[in-house]
Every structure is written in structure tokens, then in C-alpha cells.
Amino acid sequence: LETATIGHFYHYGFAAPEIRPVIRGKVVAATAATLAIPGLDSTLLHHCLSQCGPGYFLAVDRLGDRKYACWGGGVTRMAAMVGLAGGCVDGPHTDTLEIEEQGFAMWSRGSSPVTTRLYDTGGGFNVPVSIGGAAVLPGYAVLADDSGVLFIAPEDLDDVLERAEFLTARGAVNEPRITAGEHLGQLSGATKMVEAKLNG
């Protein structure tokens, strides 16, 4: 499934478009672990990486900071070592080339050369966070791809998957029809709507 398919009908849980993939072509379906850490401090991130593992996607709320990069080459190496499926930062990352070399699935607001330090000023692990305006709780489902990052509440998951699978299957039928010469407006029903107004 693609985030953009779900974006046709689901209106919650999408991180802001500014949170983009560091490496294109990565797709992650996982369970969210959450972290909130203040601007200059990455102490809790370093510690909590050891509390995560395979099948989890670490979503880091930077509490509004857009300058200090908490996630770079070393954090990526540790995240890969513990088997994290991926991660995202609502703020910048650093060491882009190292993340690319390790092939780690990562999303952020871009790169920054200014990094965090170990000040031990606090934060929260597996607490409610905000990632690009999306409210995220630990245990939410995550789907992340080239179009962005989506968090889905467990109570919505079955319905979202059912609808998305239906739309994906329909797209697989309609795309060859458009390639063969049929018009999108006819297939989608848009032309019928417009003509009804023109003729009304």
C-alpha cells in the first residue's frame, strides 16, 4: 500500500509534507515507538535506542526545534544494529551521506550541521508526541514512503487497510485502461459531474 492511496480517504495522522525521506525508494510498515526531546539535548535518544528493536519505527518529536540535528551517522548505526525498521525526526538530521551509505530508512525536515549534545535535561519515551502536526501515540501503525509518513490509530487500522486494498486493486485495473486511451474523467466520474452542471 502507498500513503498517497490512503490519503484519498483518510484524514488523520499524516505528518506535514516538510518531513521528507532522506533516501528515496524506502517503504516502511511498522509500529511506532515515540520520543520527545528538547532542542539541544539528545541524551534520552541515545539511551532509548537500546529500548527499541525490530519492527519498530522511532518517531522523534523535537518540541518545536528546527535547528539542532539529534539524528546523524552514529544514531543511524545504532538504530540499524538494534533492527529498527526506520525513524523520523520532526526537525533536522545530519550526516546525510552516512545515512545513505547505511541504507537506513529515515525521514526528517532536512539537514543541519548543528548537532545536539548530552545535557541530560529530560524528555519522554513512549509518550504522546506530535510529528509534523500529527498526534502519535506509542503503538500506532506507521506507513512511510516517498510521499511521506502516516500514523494510524489501532482502532482505525482494519478499516483503513480494507479501503486502501480496494483502491489499490481498482487502480491496478484503471491504470492500463488510461494507458490504452480511456479518459480519466470518464473513469473517475468527474466528467459526468461537470456535464450535469453544464446541462442543468
Side-chain angles (χ1 to χ4, degrees):
L1 300 178
E2 298 178 354
T3 56
T5 300
I6 298 172
H8 279 75
F9 64 90
Y10 191 63
H11 304 292
Y12 310 98
F14 290 92
E18 291 78 13
I19 297 180
R20 301 184 178 109
V22 178
I23 306 173
R24 292 186 60 187
K26 295 288 185 179
V27 178
V28 173
T31 301
T34 63
L35 182 67
I37 52 175
L40 281 72
D41 189 5
S42 57
T43 308
L44 199 59
L45 171 60
H46 287 202
H47 169 72
C48 287
L49 282 169
S50 300
Q51 313 304 311
C52 298
Y56 284 92
F57 180 99
L58 185 58
V60 183
D61 184 346
R62 298 294 284 112
L63 303 175
D65 179 74
R66 298 290 182 268
K67 179 178 180 180
Y68 293 93
C70 68
W71 194 303
V75 169
T76 299
R77 194 168 301 280
M78 178 67 184
M81 188 270 284
V82 299
L84 275 181
C88 73
V89 176
D90 190 357
H93 72 277
T94 194
D95 300 332
T96 301
L97 286 178
E98 290 186 50
I99 296 173
E100 291 177 348
E101 287 168 359
Q102 295 179 66
F104 188 77
M106 179 71 198
W107 285 256
S108 83
R109 288 183 178 265
S111 61
S112 172
V114 187
T115 62
T116 52
R117 298 290 185 271
L118 301 183
Y119 292 128
D120 197 19
T121 55
F125 180 55
N126 278 339
V127 295
V129 297
S130 176
I131 303 295
V136 185
L137 298 180
Y140 273 25
V142 182
L143 180 62
D145 58 21
D146 282 341
S147 294
V149 182
L150 166 62
F151 301 94
I152 307 173
E155 60 268 24
D156 292 346
L157 188 57
D158 287 344
D159 289 341
V160 168
L161 290 178
E162 182 178 355
R163 179 68 175 158
E165 287 168 354
F166 168 77
L167 292 177
T168 299
R170 189 174 70 180
V173 172
N174 286 343
E175 288 168 9
R177 292 173 64 182
I178 296 171
T179 302
E182 292 192 50
H183 287 231
L184 179 60
Q186 296 288 347
L187 288 173
S188 70
T191 297
K192 184 177 180 180
M193 293 178 183
V194 174
E195 289 177 345
K197 285 188 175 180
L198 292 175
N199 297 328

